[in-house]
Amino acid sequence: MALTQPEPGGVLHEGTGPRTGALRGTLATTACMETLQVGYLHAVAAAAGCSLSQPFPDNGIDWHVSHGAPEHVVDDEVTIKVQLKATYQIPPRPAGATFGFTLDNEHLVKLARTPVAVHKILVVMLVPREREQWLAAGHDRLDLRHCCYWTNLAGHPVTGRRRTTVRIPTTRIFDDRALCEIMTRVGSGGTP
């Protein structure tokens, strides 16, 4: 019996550029972006030891993330609500301390409401324009490009007629450590 080796196209090669030639499905790019950011959220939640639930119907909030720890003061398990957004219009590693992201005012009002029983955060994923650049797999890792950033919009004012641009801090990279820190603050009675 002969053993086969993995195809070279499935292995991550640093600096070789995007993989080409794959026959991709016809699903709309925005729908694919939604799926990619859900995968990112799942990976972060798994690494942080959090559980996920999806409200049905979602009523403007995509996910509930829960974190159990006996060290929490307010309860042994705390939950935050997460709204996911994705864009390819902002390049990776945005210059400056923040980047602008525009939300419909109706959505901003929901995310900015205060006080709340369950805190909400907005998570914005920056992705490459071309789908074949979104991820690369290797024997020792899976890279998702580019990055997710988070912010708490509680109390943010509506400033536009129909849409408002909010500022997302580039220091707030959404990863497992950031999620654990958010949950620790919420678990002690604070805000994200």
Side-chain angles (χ1 to χ4, degrees):
M1 171 178 10
L3 297 176
T4 59
Q5 297 296 318
E7 291 293 321
V11 177
L12 177 68
H13 296 286
E14 296 284 339
T16 60
R19 297 170 295 160
T20 58
L23 178 62
R24 299 189 187 278
T26 57
L27 191 62
T29 298
T30 54
C32 293
M33 289 166 66
E34 289 177 24
T35 302
L36 183 68
Q37 65 189 5
V38 168
Y40 188 113
L41 176 65
H42 276 75
V44 167
C50 292
S51 63
L52 294 169
S53 62
Q54 195 169 20
F56 180 80
D58 73 16
N59 195 26
I61 294 296
D62 294 323
W63 291 91
H64 292 185
V65 180
S66 298
H67 180 271
E71 294 82 8
H72 290 319
V73 175
V74 296
D75 198 347
D76 64 336
E77 182 177 73
V78 294
T79 299
I80 62 168
K81 297 177 181 180
V82 176
Q83 178 61 47
L84 298 173
K85 295 290 183 184
T87 183
Y88 54 72
Q89 296 176 339
I90 300 169
R93 294 186 175 92
T98 64
F99 63 89
F101 187 81
T102 303
L103 290 169
D104 291 333
N105 287 344
E106 181 179 324
H107 215 136
L108 175 58
V109 167
K110 179 176 270 312
L111 293 171
R113 183 180 175 143
T114 186
V116 294
V118 179
H119 296 283
K120 301 172 191 122
I121 63 170
L122 171 66
V123 175
V124 178
M125 184 173 195
L126 307 185
V127 299
R129 185 174 292 271
E130 302 300 324
R131 272 190 260 174
E132 52 272 351
Q133 295 177 4
W134 288 2
L135 66 88
H139 293 287
D140 64 343
R141 69 180 190 245
L142 173 67
D143 290 338
L144 293 179
R145 297 181 60 213
H146 292 293
C147 188
C148 283
Y149 302 87
W150 73 276
T151 193
N152 177 5
L153 293 173
H156 194 288
V158 169
T159 57
R161 289 182 63 187
R162 285 179 273 181
R163 299 176 59 115
T164 297
T165 298
V166 299
R167 305 301 302 176
I168 312 295
T170 55
T171 56
R172 289 192 181 160
I173 293 174
F174 187 70
D175 62 8
D176 58 318
R177 286 189 171 94
L179 182 54
C180 288
E181 290 169 1
I182 290 167
M183 293 307 211
T184 298
R185 288 189 293 270
V186 172
S188 66
T191 61

